[in-house]
Amino acid sequence: MNSYRVAQVTAAAGAFELAEREVPQPGPRHVRIAVEACGVCHSDALFVDGAVPGITFPVVPGHEIAGRVEELGEGTQEWGYQVGDRVAVGWFGGSCGHCTPCRQGDFIACANLQVPGWSYDGGFATKVVAPVDALARIPDALSASDAGPMACAGVTTYNGLRRSSAEPGDLVAVLGLGGLGHLGVQYAVAMGFETVAIARGPEKAEFAKQLGAHHYVDSTSGTPVAEALQSLGGADVVLATAGDSAAAAATVDGLAPRGELVVIGVDTAPLAISPAQLISPGRVVRGHPSGTSQDVQDTMAFSALHNIRPMTETVPLDDADQAYQRMLAGRARFRMVLTTG
């Protein structure tokens, strides 16, 4: 049997185990990718734990995939890919093309959005088959272990900022300095924003400075975060990367008039924000999804141009369970990446 390896869980919240599978042939409008690296994202827990509808076990998660095109299915020629091309696949794993958002060109809001690890086997494997519209070309300047996290963490922060109301020179705050936030600060600086990093503890001030932040706010200092932001003139945009509803809500009074809170860190707790905080100053609170394959490609091109890279810890696919547990425990600095080489 011509086989490949996967790291899978066979029951909800189970441990990862390695398995051999027969190599699949890509169907129409699909390609097979030889995976070189795949990031371990906190969102993978939704699939590992069976916390979303339609999950069937065994599950092979992974939606921060980087590799090379290995075989092209029927109907992919017009996309211009060739065997050997370097490509990434992220949270956006393909769209239906016929729902209302797709017909409006808003493919990331597709009512039938495909996500690797949920809709089909993900990148915790040596091979993956994905729809051709999910592919983004990787620039030569990016390694596979850098490109993988760009397909989810990178595009989410980059797109969250470029789709915001902020303009160059505006005061933009990034809440959190973790897997999303350390990229968000770098992108904000490169986009020309006066950048504020917000995190817990004075010891992170130097790290924020290394990332390029112009200001640092320690949320544990005793001074309310909103007060600290107002002392800087009020934030035009706060990008909330931390999955902490209370911390995100605490920034709202630090927004300038017409300021915007962009939420990308996932938390199931409600945001404790009153209409009174929003109406008179005309503030806006909105969520931001990841981004399409074109957005991923834009993110990687911008990152290559400005020498922005994720901070990663790489481990072999054989150690997928160890990497996943390290991510869950919050011990990763800052993105765990599985490699197949």
Side-chain angles (χ1 to χ4, degrees):
M1 178 180 75
N2 188 12
S3 64
Y4 72 108
R5 291 185 304 139
V6 302
Q8 64 180 21
V9 291
T10 58
F16 281 88
E17 57 185 48
L18 295 175
E20 295 275 337
R21 297 189 180 179
E22 186 174 356
V23 174
Q25 296 303 305
R29 295 177 60 82
H30 283 67
V31 304
R32 189 174 70 239
I33 300 165
V35 178
E36 296 176 343
C38 185
V40 182
C41 181
H42 202 279
S43 299
D44 289 321
L46 295 172
F47 314 136
V48 172
D49 294 345
V52 290
I55 285 288
T56 57
F57 290 90
V59 163
V60 180
H63 57 267
E64 293 186 342
I65 304 164
R68 294 181 183 271
V69 173
E70 188 173 74
E71 186 167 348
L72 297 161
E74 203 177 313
T76 58
Q77 291 76 14
E78 66 268 26
W79 292 79
Y81 292 104
Q82 297 181 359
V83 170
D85 285 352
R86 303 179 69 226
V87 294
V89 178
W91 180 265
F92 178 85
S95 57
C96 71
H98 58 74
C99 70
T100 298
C102 283
R103 285 164 60 84
Q104 294 171 335
D106 193 6
F107 298 106
I108 190 61
C110 173
N112 305 294
L113 182 70
Q114 297 186 73
V115 180
W118 184 2
S119 308
Y120 52 87
D121 287 342
F124 286 20
T126 56
K127 302 182 189 297
V128 66
V129 172
V132 67
D133 65 317
L135 273 56
R137 294 185 183 274
I138 300 175
D140 292 341
L142 292 185
S143 68
S145 59
D146 287 336
M150 292 292 183
C152 182
V155 69
T156 302
T157 51
Y158 172 77
N159 234 21
L161 288 168
R162 76 165 174 171
R163 305 292 186 203
S164 77
S165 58
E167 298 181 351
D170 282 353
L171 190 75
V172 171
V174 177
L175 173 65
L177 282 178
L180 294 171
H182 85 286
L183 287 168
V185 169
Q186 294 178 77
Y187 287 135
V189 172
M191 289 177 184
F193 304 139
E194 183 179 352
T195 304
V196 185
I198 307 170
R200 296 176 60 84
E203 70 280 357
K204 294 180 181 176
E206 182 58 32
F207 177 56
K209 183 179 178 181
Q210 291 171 8
L211 293 173
H214 303 98
H215 311 279
Y216 178 70
V217 172
D218 173 11
S219 62
T220 67
S221 68
T223 300
V225 169
E227 186 178 318
L229 290 176
Q230 287 297 344
S231 73
L232 295 170
D236 296 288
V237 168
V238 171
L239 182 71
T241 72
D244 185 330
S245 293
T251 68
V252 170
D253 285 336
L255 291 170
R258 304 289 181 186
E260 183 179 31
L261 171 62
V262 180
V263 181
I264 61 175
V266 177
D267 190 2
T268 56
L271 287 167
I273 299 169
S274 73
Q277 292 175 278
L278 305 177
I279 294 172
S280 292
R283 293 169 176 147
V284 173
V285 179
R286 68 176 180 88
H288 175 78
S290 177
T292 66
S293 53
Q294 182 61 54
D295 293 324
V296 173
Q297 196 160 304
D298 292 348
T299 300
M300 292 190 292
F302 186 88
S303 301
L305 180 65
H306 291 277
N307 198 31
I308 295 171
R309 302 291 187 275
M311 295 181 182
T312 62
E313 294 183 42
T314 58
V315 297
L317 179 65
D318 291 10
D319 297 330
D321 194 69
Q322 173 188 329
Y324 179 76
Q325 295 303 328
R326 185 169 174 78
M327 176 279 296
L328 275 187
R331 298 198 306 270
R333 298 281 295 175
F334 284 94
R335 305 296 290 187
M336 300 301 301
V337 178
L338 302 177
T339 58
T340 62

